[in-house]
Amino acid sequence: MRRLMPWLISVVALVAIGFWAGCGGGSTSNDILIGEYSAMTGTTATFGQSTHRGLMMAVDEINAAGGVLGRNIRLLTEDTQSKPEEAATAVTKLISRDGVKAVIGEVSSSRSLAAAPICQANGIPMVSNASTNPEVTKKGDYIFRVCYIDPFQGEVMARFVYNTLGLRKVAILKDIKNDYSIGLAQYFEETFLKLGGQVVATQAYSEGDIDFKAQLTALKGAEPEAVIVPGYYTEAALIVKQARELNMTIPIVGGDGWDSAKLVEIGGESMNNTYFSTAYTADDPDSVVQNFVSKYTTRYSEKPDAFAALGYDAGLILFDAIKRAGGVEGAKIRDALAATRDFRGVTGTITIDRDRNARKPIVIIAVVDGRMTYKETIQP
Ligand code: PHE
């Protein structure tokens, strides 16, 4: 009997652990694994870090409310280091090594374009929170996004410059290493020309550049009434700063790639007389937005930016789809995602259209006295 006791204790302990695990205490093999591939480090680290915070909030909220299909959601995060090659490696690991049932990411279109074919080939649904280039979801029927696309954004900004600012001659400065930037420049130009406007000069730079004086000097020579900078805020803020140093006081206009608190941190007062379009603003008085802002601020001691809001919405939309799918098979989740209608997110009411893109409003922000100020919301 003496010799039997230790053995009995371990059997009882093992059974107890197994039972506890089966009930969903802590994270267990019963969890639904969801992958996140995000720029946690590198040139655009704020993209991934904010997305991750928003997404974690969605995960904790759904688990506190009993999870999905009676199971907890467990998020596994892989860093893309802000590089397309690493994005491909990251989703491969998440799918092949970890066996995730769906993937959320990336912010940058170039990185989403690198990862999407891998998700598609494996039949694993992917939801991008912020990639706006139209090519992303064309990679296949498992690829979705919760943000609007650049043909719409380019058109809205062209109309804004032509109608609201009343300007007719613009110059464009785009990032030729960035699919998003190239696309948005093209869509802006198409609408602007159709309206009767003129693009008097175009110049290029590459992500990571820090000196834009040569390009700006060339643009200035063409005497534009505004400069369009469809890029990411890191370079955009430096471009605006250097333009002001060259006495170019004209409006400078960008897209969602500008949306970060870092924009005015880097650019300061020189950002006055700039405008950009985005998915969301924490200043929106809407009660859903304000409720999210207050929960997020309590949790992280900072205001949520657009990535955080879009990460949160990407999570909620995916969890809602898994619930409606009634199971975690890729094809079922895909069909449920495709059927998403009028989902009330923080970034607006989201409907997934037949091309797996989100139809939703655009917000326009103006920088006034070194502060981002909400100007208007434009419906799709
Ligand atoms: N829309 C950008 C892209 O597709 C990503 C981005 C979104 C960057 C929001 C900054 C802010 O590449």
Side-chain angles (χ1 to χ4, degrees), residues 47 107-110 130-133 136 145 147 150 153 178-181 231-233 255-260 278 306-307 310:
F47 289 16
V107 165
S108 159
S109 289
S110 296
S131 289
T132 49
N133 186 283
V136 173
R145 74 181 107 216
C147 51
D150 290 330
Q153 175 164 235
N178 182 326
D179 294 298
Y180 155 76
S181 190
Y232 292 160
Y233 62 81
D256 60 330
W258 279 34
D259 195 4
S260 166
T278 185
F307 309 110
L310 287 162

Side-chain angles (χ1 to χ4, degrees), residues 49-345:
Q49 290 164 4
S50 288
T51 300
H52 182 70
R53 287 186 199 127
L55 191 48
M56 276 314 296
M57 210 166 97
V59 170
D60 290 346
E61 280 178 14
I62 197 90
N63 287 343
V68 179
L69 308 174
R71 298 163 67 183
N72 270 344
I73 295 285
R74 181 144 54 103
L75 190 72
L76 304 178
T77 304
E78 282 291 325
D79 182 11
T80 64
Q81 303 166 29
S82 302
K83 295 176 192 157
E85 324 79 79
E86 292 299 329
T89 311
V91 293
T92 303
K93 275 191 201 157
L94 289 166
I95 295 171
S96 308
R97 183 195 59 194
D98 302 324
V100 298
K101 300 299 178 200
V103 160
I104 291 179
E106 232 254 23
V107 165
S108 159
S109 289
S110 296
R111 268 109 69 177
S112 290
L113 283 167
I118 299 165
C119 297
Q120 179 68 28
N122 285 282
I124 295 296
M126 168 183 139
V127 181
S128 167
N129 59 328
S131 289
T132 49
N133 186 283
E135 294 305 316
V136 173
T137 44
K138 289 186 187 157
K139 293 288 174 201
D141 60 351
Y142 280 81
I143 315 300
F144 296 83
R145 74 181 107 216
V146 298
C147 51
Y148 54 66
I149 56 173
D150 290 330
F152 172 51
Q153 175 164 235
E155 182 187 330
V156 166
M157 289 323 285
R159 289 186 189 283
F160 175 77
V161 173
Y162 194 90
N163 295 325
T164 309
L165 299 180
L167 305 176
R168 299 292 178 259
K169 290 193 320 181
V170 302
I172 297 178
L173 181 51
K174 64 182 171 189
D175 179 348
I176 45 157
K177 271 210 195 141
N178 182 326
D179 294 298
Y180 155 76
S181 190
I182 295 167
L184 188 53
Q186 179 200 327
Y187 304 120
F188 175 91
E189 183 162 352
E190 278 169 16
T191 302
F192 198 67
L193 298 185
K194 240 186 257 161
L195 290 170
Q198 243 184 304
V199 176
V200 294
T202 300
Q203 287 283 322
Y205 65 92
S206 300
E207 193 181 324
D209 286 357
I210 47 168
D211 185 352
F212 306 90
K213 290 260 167 73
Q215 292 97 317
L216 286 167
T217 305
L219 295 181
K220 191 181 177 192
E223 298 182 356
E225 295 162 346
V227 182
I228 313 302
V229 183
Y232 292 160
Y233 62 81
T234 336
E235 287 87 16
L238 293 175
I239 288 169
V240 173
K241 237 180 160 173
Q242 293 172 23
R244 303 307 188 216
E245 282 161 24
L246 292 169
N247 281 323
M248 297 173 80
T249 54
I250 52 178
I252 304 184
V253 178
D256 60 330
W258 279 34
D259 195 4
S260 166
K262 290 264 185 302
L263 184 80
V264 283
E265 259 173 64
I266 303 170
E269 291 280 325
S270 60
M271 294 308 299
N272 292 344
N273 203 21
T274 66
Y275 305 86
F276 64 91
S277 45
T278 185
Y280 137 103
T281 167
D283 294 338
D284 188 334
D286 180 277
S287 63
V288 175
V289 175
Q290 285 316 312
N291 182 29
F292 168 73
V293 171
S294 96
K295 281 189 298 189
Y296 187 98
T297 311
T298 308
R299 177 167 173 155
Y300 295 114
S301 307
E302 67 179 32
K303 266 198 184 176
D305 58 16
F307 309 110
L310 287 162
Y312 182 77
D313 278 356
L316 292 189
I317 281 185
L318 176 61
F319 307 151
D320 174 67
I322 298 175
K323 238 181 242 172
R324 285 184 288 109
V328 294
E329 295 81 6
K332 281 193 184 162
I333 300 176
R334 175 202 59 193
D335 291 346
L337 276 169
T340 304
R341 298 283 175 276
D342 298 323
F343 184 92
R344 188 61 181 92

